Amino acid sequence: MTLTFMRNKVVEVEPLSEGMLSVSWRLVDSLTEAEIRLKFQLPDLEIKEAEARLDRFPHLECAEAPKLIQKVIGVRVGPGLRKIVQGVMGGSAGCAELTEGVLECCNAVILHFTVPQIQANEKGTEEERRMRYQAMLRLNPRLVRSCVAFADDSPLMEGLRGQ
């Protein structure tokens, strides 16, 4: 007997004119077909709107996806995000696919701000690059502690601690 499994996942970030980011996440695999749409308010990176649709899913807990996704409204991208999202959407009454989808949407928001900076930052001395990262973090303080590159003990954070 031959078993097959196929999985496609797409996350897209689109800046909106009203100072918001729209993030869409779509997962299609042999067992699941799910979609999440979140809107984040800048500069706080707070989730202002959330909707989810699961057309095919292996876990009965996910049947309440449209209601469950509403629990992330008001959550901000930043320290403690994983624990907060898992607390409001995870557990025995939650939906693991939606929880991971929301976290991937939040990671996409972080990458939306960091990838262009990383690409632009490839030129110059190490000190110049560090100063550009620190300027980016001053403009977007919610990114501090959002990933390992911006952790308290990261070299990129030298000089920013305590500010």
Side-chain angles (χ1 to χ4, degrees):
M1 175 169 74
T2 302
L3 296 176
T4 60
F5 182 79
M6 176 273 310
R7 174 170 272 195
N8 288 311
K9 193 183 303 184
V10 177
V11 184
E12 297 177 315
V13 179
E14 178 184 353
L16 302 176
S17 60
E18 56 269 6
M20 295 183 83
L21 291 177
S22 175
V23 180
S24 64
W25 173 90
R26 182 164 168 75
L27 167 69
V28 178
D29 67 24
S30 299
L31 304 172
T32 309
E33 185 172 343
E35 186 172 354
I36 296 174
R37 293 189 183 278
L38 300 176
K39 287 190 180 176
F40 293 81
Q41 181 68 54
L42 299 176
D44 296 333
L45 303 180
E46 179 180 343
I47 299 173
K48 290 294 190 176
E49 296 178 29
E51 61 183 68
R53 196 187 62 172
L54 272 79
D55 295 330
R56 186 174 66 239
F57 48 91
H59 306 291
L60 294 176
E61 307 85 47
C62 295
E64 297 296 317
K67 292 180 190 173
L68 187 60
I69 195 73
Q70 297 302 309
K71 292 182 177 185
V72 297
I73 293 177
V75 173
R76 292 180 177 189
V77 174
L81 173 71
R82 178 169 294 282
K83 189 173 184 178
I84 293 167
V85 172
Q86 288 174 339
V88 297
M89 295 185 63
S92 60
C95 177
E97 286 85 359
L98 276 186
T99 302
E100 288 304 312
V102 168
L103 292 171
E104 288 178 6
C105 287
C106 294
N107 284 336
V109 168
I110 294 166
L111 288 173
H112 171 78
F113 289 107
T114 57
V115 167
Q117 294 292 333
I118 290 169
Q119 290 170 337
N121 209 11
E122 291 176 350
K123 299 176 185 142
T125 67
E126 187 175 330
E127 185 59 32
E128 290 171 333
R129 290 191 303 264
R130 181 179 298 130
M131 296 200 45
R132 284 194 290 261
Y133 278 119
Q134 290 176 349
M136 176 187 70
L137 291 170
R138 283 186 190 97
L139 290 173
N140 262 310
R142 301 289 308 165
L143 294 176
V144 173
R145 295 185 204 91
S146 66
C147 71
V148 70
F150 306 130
D152 287 333
D153 59 350
S154 167
L156 296 176
M157 298 298 292
E158 284 180 21
L160 282 180
R161 295 180 193 107
Q163 289 187 9

